[in-house]
Amino acid sequence: MPSICQLPPSVVNKIAAGEVIERPASVVKELLENSVDAGATRIDVSLGQGGTDLIRVVDDGCGIAAADLPLAVASHATSKIASADDLFHVGTFGFRGEALASIGEVSQLVLRSRERSADAGYEIEVDGGRRSEIAPCGCPIGTAIEVRNLFFNTPVRRKFLRASQTEIGHASEAFTRLALAHPRVHFTLRHNDRLLLDLPPVANWRERIAAFFGHDIESSLISIDNCDGDVRIHGFVADPQHSRGNNRMQYLFLNGRHIRDRSLQHALGEAYRGLLLTGRFPIGFLRLELPAESVDVNVHPTKLEVRFADSGRIYSLLLGTIRKKFLATDLTARVQTPLGAAEPGAEAADSAAVARHRRELVDWAKGALATTAASNNVADAEQEAQSLLELQFDRPSGGLELTKLDRVWEPALTSPRLEQAGEAAGRLAGHPLVERASPPRFDPPQPAKLSHLGFQIHNRYLVTENTEGMVVIDQHALHERILYEQLREKVLAGDMETQRLLVPEPVSLAPAEAAAALEAKEVLAQLGIEVEPFGGDTVLVSSYPAMLANLAPADMLRQVVEQLITSSRTPERRDLVDELLHMISCKAAIKAGDRLAPEEVTSLLEQRHHYQDSHHCPHGRPTALVFTREELDRRFKRT
């Protein structure tokens, strides 16, 4: 058996570097956190070749005393904690004292620093773990750290680094997390001597968010703020109109530290339940403030994950805060012209297009004049026909007046007058420029019955209005939401309306489907679906929801079972009931293409305001689009 020996410090530091320093982005994160801990008001970051060749971080913080420079690059040496008890009251980003030692072990590091009270600065170099002597140097107040040739002495680690563009992407994300958390600090980021970001200090957090993600995201943010004792959650969540295909735009900050917590991310997703399509993730920028002793940040090598003393309380606070805010907010989708987009029809104002239209008009006028002589022969006959019809074409001498039209149709013209007009038209029939036309019909149209709240178009959309402008509603999505809320209330109250079959219907299923249906027997009973084993892979259906009377029990059960077995994981009882309610309400709702009576239109539009979340269907699709008056005026060139 090999003997046990004490590892040398160099090997220990390389092992620590393997845990803490994964890629250049890890170095950027550690150095930025040190600068923030030093109280810096400006931090400049410069990278070369994605950070593999150069990482330079310069700040104007408190600086490091000359006598402390050797300890700054030594392992497990720090000014942030002094005893084990301090680990439960950590108020800084760093506290382990191993970052600079680990970085210096796998790179060529130069550390320069100057305190505010010092007349000059001092520097120390670390080349692959070998420290130089302290030397005086000229430098401004603060600290400057240069890291060159990362992993130069560990070629295996360097071989696993990605391309420069990939590494700068990771480093930019680390920069974004720190810069987002500290909007009052001036940050700059350069790559290969090119300025990528220059973020001056701002008092409003929305401005820092807009600098990273654009004004489109910033304008969609909804502010939240709530407290529960000594715990406070505040920040912004995006309108459900804006979402992403992953959770990378969910930024959670615990006492200024960026963290990743699955429980809080789940709470954020639950708050958007029924507002986003499947596979879409909400956008959020949230700050969590609580006493340092209520959280353990020493459970992850990079301190990205933490452990809360009372995670359930924080989960409930976040979920309840967002849901309460959404219930008090109108989340109806609004049609807006994208920022920077050209105004509708702006191309018609182009000078070349105007000139072309002018030429076409002149050519048309010349052609019209050429046919004037040929048409003079029929002028007298036309005038005679018009006079017989007693139509007045004289231009009124006064101003323009609006005449109120009565909804009463006059009887058809008398036959003598029609006969005289027909004779005049007959005399024109022989002319080559005139075609013989049949006498006009004056059948009065039958006015359609309309709801006083709106009307249906294309048998799929309802059009109404509100104080903002015009509202276009998806009839299927709205009815689906209404049915879902009604079903949910009945299921919670245990008052689901069911239709019992006189003769239970046997349904043959696949073995896995039959097992899933019988396993979820109690859940299905809540929804009014009663199933019993009938031997083999056959299941008896003895009742089903009354609102699904137009769907065969066998088809209904197969669709429910498909919903059960397609889940990637075993769903909780509440989630399973919710998914089945989604399916039932979707099947029972009116469809696109169904023509609605005026009474049905009125009923739908009236019920729209009686249920929560009526702006989205249970699957997350918007039920309505609002065309504001300002947007309509802009598109009609009235502004």
Side-chain angles (χ1 to χ4, degrees):
M1 179 179 177
S3 59
I4 299 175
C5 62
Q6 184 74 42
L7 294 176
S10 177
V11 177
V12 172
N13 288 335
K14 282 186 171 63
I15 293 174
E19 294 179 348
V20 179
I21 310 303
E22 180 184 359
R23 59 190 340 142
S26 306
V27 178
V28 173
K29 169 186 174 294
E30 297 292 342
L31 298 184
L32 283 175
E33 288 182 347
N34 285 340
S35 296
V36 173
D37 283 340
T41 60
R42 180 184 176 106
I43 304 175
D44 299 308
V45 181
S46 299
L47 304 176
Q49 297 302 317
T52 56
D53 290 354
L54 170 67
I55 300 174
R56 180 188 296 116
V57 177
V58 181
D59 66 62
D60 61 353
C62 63
I64 304 173
D68 291 339
L69 287 180
L71 289 175
V73 295
S75 60
H76 305 300
T78 180
S79 62
K80 298 166 185 176
I81 61 173
S83 65
D85 292 337
D86 294 337
L87 289 174
F88 302 100
H89 306 277
V90 175
T92 57
F93 291 105
F95 55 86
R96 293 174 181 153
E98 61 181 355
L100 289 181
S102 300
I103 295 171
E105 193 69 37
V106 293
S107 68
Q108 296 167 340
L109 180 146
V110 178
L111 169 61
R112 300 183 181 93
S113 188
R114 173 188 170 189
E115 291 184 296
R116 296 186 184 277
S117 59
D119 296 331
Y122 293 86
E123 70 176 11
I124 187 173
E125 297 182 8
V126 182
D127 187 354
R130 296 186 300 273
R131 292 188 307 223
S132 68
E133 296 295 327
I134 302 173
C137 68
C139 66
I141 295 173
T143 303
I145 299 180
E146 288 186 5
V147 178
R148 296 182 180 272
N149 301 321
L150 186 64
F151 299 132
F152 78 100
N153 55 354
T154 52
V156 175
R157 295 291 303 275
R158 191 175 179 91
K159 184 179 67 173
F160 281 97
L161 293 179
R162 302 297 181 181
S164 174
Q165 289 302 318
T166 303
E167 296 301 335
I168 189 59
H170 289 288
S172 297
E173 179 62 22
F175 177 88
T176 299
R177 293 171 179 175
L178 265 295
L180 268 180
H182 301 87
R184 297 183 182 274
V185 179
H186 190 161
F187 288 88
T188 64
L189 176 63
R190 295 178 181 273
H191 182 231
N192 295 338
D193 296 326
R194 184 169 65 92
L195 181 64
L196 300 182
L197 290 168
D198 187 355
L199 307 170
V202 292
N204 189 345
W205 196 25
R206 299 178 73 113
E207 297 180 27
R208 180 59 59 89
I209 295 174
F212 279 108
F213 305 105
H215 290 282
D216 191 29
I217 292 294
E218 184 271 332
S219 62
S220 72
L221 296 180
I222 301 171
S223 175
I224 65 169
D225 194 346
N226 197 11
C227 296
D228 181 10
D230 54 3
V231 179
R232 181 190 178 197
I233 290 180
H234 62 106
F236 305 97
V237 291
D239 187 285
Q241 277 187 275
H242 298 267
S243 62
R244 290 293 182 270
N246 52 59
N247 60 5
R248 293 175 187 168
M249 281 190 69
Q250 296 177 3
Y251 289 90
L252 304 175
F253 300 99
L254 169 64
N255 295 336
R257 181 196 306 276
H258 176 266
I259 64 169
R260 183 178 58 205
D261 188 87
R262 293 183 180 180
S263 175
L264 295 182
Q265 288 179 329
H266 185 269
L268 183 60
E270 282 295 298
Y272 280 79
R273 176 186 287 268
L275 302 179
L276 295 178
L277 294 173
T278 303
R280 305 298 296 180
F281 294 83
I283 299 172
F285 306 90
L286 301 172
R287 292 178 178 271
L288 177 61
E289 298 175 3
L290 71 164
E293 58 270 16
S294 299
V295 60
D296 185 1
V297 298
N298 193 28
V299 297
H300 191 271
T302 62
K303 301 180 284 291
L304 187 60
E305 298 179 1
V306 298
R307 182 180 293 117
F308 294 104
D310 190 356
S311 59
R313 174 188 176 193
I314 300 173
Y315 180 97
S316 300
L317 179 63
L318 176 59
L319 176 59
T321 299
I322 299 177
R323 289 301 296 173
K324 184 177 179 181
K325 185 66 175 183
F326 282 173
L327 291 176
T329 304
D330 182 10
L331 299 180
T332 305
R334 285 161 176 78
V335 177
Q336 296 179 346
T337 302
L339 293 175
E343 288 291 334
E347 64 278 1
D350 184 76
S351 57
V354 172
R356 184 174 65 254
H357 288 306
R358 183 179 293 110
R359 288 195 300 269
E360 292 175 355
L361 181 61
V362 171
D363 294 341
W364 172 83
K366 290 179 180 179
L369 290 174
T371 60
T372 300
S375 62
N376 284 338
N377 296 331
V378 299
D380 295 337
E382 290 176 348
Q383 186 173 1
E384 180 182 357
Q386 291 177 357
S387 62
L388 290 172
L389 290 173
E390 298 181 357
L391 300 176
Q392 300 295 326
F393 291 96
D394 296 333
R395 182 181 299 275
S397 58
L400 180 63
E401 296 181 359
L402 298 178
T403 304
K404 183 178 180 180
L405 298 178
D406 296 328
R407 292 177 177 261
V408 179
W409 288 87
E410 296 291 339
L413 296 178
T414 58
S415 55
R417 184 173 298 177
L418 280 177
E419 291 177 358
Q420 293 176 3
E423 292 174 359
R427 292 197 294 272
L428 296 174
H431 197 278
L433 295 179
V434 180
E435 294 183 357
R436 184 180 184 88
S438 59
R441 295 178 58 88
F442 292 90
D443 296 334
Q446 297 296 327
K449 293 182 179 179
L450 297 177
S451 166
H452 67 283
L453 295 179
F455 56 91
Q456 184 188 37
I457 58 174
H458 301 303
N459 291 343
R460 66 177 61 201
Y461 299 113
L462 307 180
V463 180
T464 184
E465 66 175 353
N466 61 11
T467 56
E468 292 185 79
M470 180 179 66
V471 185
V472 180
I473 298 172
D474 184 332
Q475 64 185 32
H476 170 73
L478 176 58
H479 195 211
E480 184 179 351
R481 166 58 70 178
I482 292 173
L483 291 180
Y484 169 80
E485 296 295 340
Q486 292 175 345
L487 284 172
R488 184 169 172 271
E489 290 179 0
K490 292 179 179 179
V491 169
L492 293 177
D495 190 26
M496 187 70 175
E497 297 175 357
T498 60
Q499 174 68 49
R500 298 199 65 85
L501 299 176
L502 293 176
V503 178
E505 182 171 339
V507 181
S508 298
L509 301 172
E513 294 176 338
L518 296 175
E519 183 179 354
K521 180 179 179 180
E522 295 181 3
V523 175
L524 296 180
Q526 280 187 273
L527 304 176
I529 306 173
E530 296 185 11
V531 295
E532 299 174 359
F534 193 60
D537 299 326
T538 303
V539 175
L540 278 183
V541 179
S542 56
S543 71
Y544 64 99
M547 64 170 49
L548 293 181
N550 59 341
L551 192 65
D555 295 337
M556 178 269 304
L557 181 62
R558 289 192 177 95
Q559 293 181 19
V560 169
V561 170
E562 183 180 358
Q563 192 79 15
L564 292 173
I565 64 176
T566 52
S567 299
S568 57
R569 58 181 177 82
T570 304
E572 297 182 2
R573 183 187 185 94
R574 179 179 62 87
D575 294 337
L576 179 57
V577 171
D578 197 56
E579 291 179 2
L580 295 179
L581 287 178
H582 289 177
M583 190 274 293
I584 293 175
S585 58
C586 182
K587 298 298 180 184
I590 57 176
K591 304 298 187 292
D594 291 348
R595 186 168 186 82
L596 303 183
E599 297 79 10
E600 295 174 316
V601 173
T602 301
S603 177
L604 265 182
L605 296 179
E606 286 179 343
Q607 293 183 77
R608 176 172 173 244
H609 304 289
H610 295 166
Y611 297 97
Q612 64 182 22
D613 296 336
S614 62
H615 38 70
H616 285 77
C617 81
H619 296 99
R621 290 193 302 113
T623 62
L625 290 176
V626 175
F627 293 80
T628 63
R629 286 176 295 179
E630 293 78 9
E631 180 67 22
L632 292 172
D633 288 344
R634 181 163 58 253
R635 291 180 178 266
F636 280 106
K637 305 296 184 181
R638 299 181 67 90
T639 57

